[in-house]
């Protein structure tokens, strides 16, 4: 029999027995049936100690389970925290807790049965309606059901059901259109009566990354075996100790990646107990080959999340311009040369240490003019800019640990897929650029940790050295960068921008790649649109400012000046917009309907003829 446990609280015995039924008075206090197990012998004793009530289950229940079954927590019971000797510390007050979240547990007809309540400071309790608008803080006589049972029953019967430990994780998965549930009261509390709600379903269990979570996953799998259509236990890669699926999603995981991993995970077999991921250095080959990892997803030519890329260029070849083309293309899912394939829009953070804000703004505005309205809207949403800034009135430098921490936090909050740092020499304070030791310690290792921490590509722009820019003087393109070889050593991808055969051409060349290579590409910069293009792709046509204005008036709709400004101010100042409208009115392309309202003359005439 498990060892019995005793806990002293600041509640009185009278407080406790008020929560129980069929209480008997004894010589030393009270006796009642323990609410934590199916008690038929009144095994719970309650008495008054020197510092509060003393609870003890003589059948061996953990006191934590008893308190939870009463609808209480230790935070409820202690007015002062316990010190290391198990006594109340003097002159300390437990902060008053507040309700942080309420999770409704409903039956098949969406009738509320009970709530799980999460508090701040951290704590949980369960409560049921008392029928008078209030709550009873225990679940006596209440049927226990799975969380979001009505949603579960209405979902596609062929959908995979993800089982997690907590309500917050369940909600996070429904938010990305996946079917999910959990049992009340967390790990170790699964009941057989939950199994019927999952009959015939494909089940994937996502355990929290701790021993309790792994044990809970095995228990759930054992309970559902023979009733569910299939069962898998998927240990999510890269989550911290005690982490969960919400942490994985925060790190950049999404529904598509989760479904791919679930599809590839092996089915659970009761004859082969899965070994949970270990913190040890050693992992057996069998465990390694059956562990599910997030699929590698190339974003910038064969370079994926958690990796470093280097972009090295000869002076005055348009390095920053090409990087801005790259940022815009990624942000709207547009193809760019051989570097980026058309695909899903990415969250991009461009950090520019060299360009004044006004110049960068004008350049980005001009580049956006060639794109569709839909692409421009995606860029406005997905591209973040840091330019010409100070932090706490000091130079912003990534060699400063406090500044680097702020970048990591901001990138996580922004859910960035790619960070572009232009340029390395301005963003880092390095005394000797040729020192492998200093470059590795102060630049490349911190950037590698950053890339893995935020689960994104970190692309560093750098300069090609004088010898590398001279034709025939460098043996390998991988080593064209100025400074230490450590720059190349830590990088998964190196792209070089070299001088072309003419003044207006450049060569895009791979210096290093793990995967498919591309041949050298000659590219040219169209100075009107500010976009690079190769011989296969003509430069995009840049509309004139007048054409941009008239593109607004594509039907007989009447436009107010404020709405025109809302569209045009992305590209021009108000005085320029006023001049363009005046020009359009004078040439007869626009009609002044009334003060501050304009209409296309062409479409207005067509509408009047109809």
């Amino acid at each position: 029999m498990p060892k019995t446990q005793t806990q002293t609280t600041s509640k009185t015995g009278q407080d406790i027995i008020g929560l129980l039924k069929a209480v008997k008075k004894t010589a030393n206090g009270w006796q009642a049936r323990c609410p934590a197990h199916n008690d038929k012998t009144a095994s719970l004793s309650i008495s008054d100690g020197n510092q509060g009530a003393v609870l003890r289950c003589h059948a061996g229940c953990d006191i934590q389970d008893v308190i939870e079954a009463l609808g209480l927590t230790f935070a409820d019971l202690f007015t002062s925290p316990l010190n290391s000797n198990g006594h109340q510390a003097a002159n300390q007050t437990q902060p008053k807790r507040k309700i942080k979240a309420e999770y409704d547990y409903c039956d098949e007809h969406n009738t509320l049965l009970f709530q799980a309540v999460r508090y701040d400071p951290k704590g949980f309790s369960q409560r049921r309606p008392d029928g008078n608008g209030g709550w009873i803080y225990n679940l006596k006589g209440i049927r226990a059901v799975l969380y979001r049972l009505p949603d579960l029953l209405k979902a596609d019967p062929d959908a995979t059901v993800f089982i997690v430990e907590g309500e917050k994780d369940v909600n996070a998965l429904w938010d990305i259109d996946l079917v999910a549930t959990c049992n009340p009261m967390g790990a170790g509390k699964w009941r057989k009566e939950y199994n019927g709600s999952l009959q015939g379903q494909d089940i994937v269990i996502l355990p929290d990354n701790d021993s309790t979570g792994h044990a809970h996953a095995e228990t759930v799998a054992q309970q559902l075996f023979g009733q569910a259509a299939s069962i898998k236990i998927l240990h999510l890669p890269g989550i911290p100790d005690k982490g969960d699926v919400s942490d994985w999603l925060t790190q950049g995981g999404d529904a598509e990646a989760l479904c791919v991993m679930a599809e590839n995970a092996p089915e659970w077999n009761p004859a082969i107990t899965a070994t949970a991921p270990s913190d040890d250095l050693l992992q057996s080959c069998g465990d390694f080959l059956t562990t599910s990892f997030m699929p590698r997803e190339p974003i910038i030519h064969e370079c994926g999340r958690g990796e470093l890329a280097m972009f090295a260029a000869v002076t005055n070849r348009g390095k920053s311009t090409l990087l801005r083309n790259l940022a815009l293309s990624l942000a709207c899912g547009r193809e760019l040369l051989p570097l980026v394939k058309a695909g899903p829009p990415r969250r991009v953070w461009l950090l520019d240490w060299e360009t004044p804000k006004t110049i960068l703004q004008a350049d980005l505005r001009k580049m956006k003019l060639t794109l569709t309205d839909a692409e421009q809207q995606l860029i406005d949403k997905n591209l973040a800019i840091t330019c010409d800034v100070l932090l706490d009135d000091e130079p912003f430098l990534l060699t400063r640990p406090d500044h680097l921490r702020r970048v990591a936090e901001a990138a996580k909050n922004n859910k960035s897929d790619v960070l572009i740092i232009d340029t390395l020499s301005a963003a880092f304070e390095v005394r000797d650029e040729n020192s492998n030791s200093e470059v590795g310690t102060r630049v490349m290792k911190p950037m590698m940790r950053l890339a893995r921490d935020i689960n994104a590509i970190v692309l560093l722009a750098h300069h090609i050295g004088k010898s590398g820019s001279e034709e025939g003087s460098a043996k390998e393109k991988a080593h064209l960068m100025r400074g230490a070889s450590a720059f190349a050593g830590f990088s998964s991808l190196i792209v070089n921008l070299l001088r072309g055969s003419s003044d207006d051409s450049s060569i895009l060349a791979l210096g290093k790649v793990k995967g498919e290579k591309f041949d050298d590409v000659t590219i040219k910069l169209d100075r009107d649109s500010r976009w690079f293009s190769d011989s296969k792709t003509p430069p995009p046509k840049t509309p004139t400012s007048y054409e941009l204005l008239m593109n607004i008036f594509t039907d007989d709709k009447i436009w107010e000046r404020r709405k025109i400004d809302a569209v045009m101010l992305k590209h021009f100042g108000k005085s320029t917009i006023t001049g363009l409208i005046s020009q359009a009115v004078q040439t007869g392309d626009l009609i002044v309907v009334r003060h501050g309202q304009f209409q296309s003359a062409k479409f207005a005439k067509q509408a009047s003829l109809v």
Side-chain angles (χ1 to χ4, degrees), residues 322-342:
L322 184 52
L323 287 176
R324 291 164 199 165
N325 288 177
L326 179 68
L328 294 173
S329 299
L330 287 167
C332 68
R334 188 174 187 267
E335 183 177 7
L336 179 69
L337 303 171
L339 297 178
V340 177
K341 295 180 180 179

Side-chain angles (χ1 to χ4, degrees), residues 28 77 128 131 136 153 161 183 190 198 233 249 278 285 288 290 317 353 473 536 563:
N28 298 320
L77 302 176
R128 55 189 169 96
I136 299 172
L153 297 177
V161 178
N183 59 273
W190 189 270
L198 299 169
I233 297 177
L249 291 171
S278 171
C285 181
F288 177 76
T290 57
R317 286 290 96 187
W353 269 264
S473 61
K536 298 178 183 178
K563 291 186 177 180

Side-chain angles (χ1 to χ4, degrees), residues 360-433:
L360 179 59
Q361 182 188 68
D363 208 28
L364 291 175
R365 279 178 169 175
K366 187 171 284 189
M367 290 176 186
K368 282 181 63 180
L369 290 179
T370 64
L371 306 180
T372 66
D373 290 342
E375 288 174 330
Q376 292 187 38
Q377 289 172 14
L378 286 169
I379 289 168
D380 291 341
K381 174 185 174 183
N382 292 326
L383 178 58
I385 305 292
T386 295
C387 173
D388 194 16
V389 298
L390 296 175
L391 284 185
D392 303 322
D393 296 323
E394 294 183 353
F396 177 29
L397 293 169
L398 296 184
T399 34
R400 287 191 51 163
D402 54 332
H403 290 184
L404 185 56
R405 271 195 302 273
R406 289 179 65 171
V407 168
E409 290 169 2
K412 288 179 181 178
N413 292 335
N414 185 54
K415 297 182 180 179
S416 300
D417 299 305
V418 179
L419 266 63
I420 300 176
I421 295 172
D422 186 15
T423 62
L424 186 151
S425 55
F428 295 86
E429 203 169 40
V430 178
R431 291 182 296 272
D432 185 1
E433 203 176 57

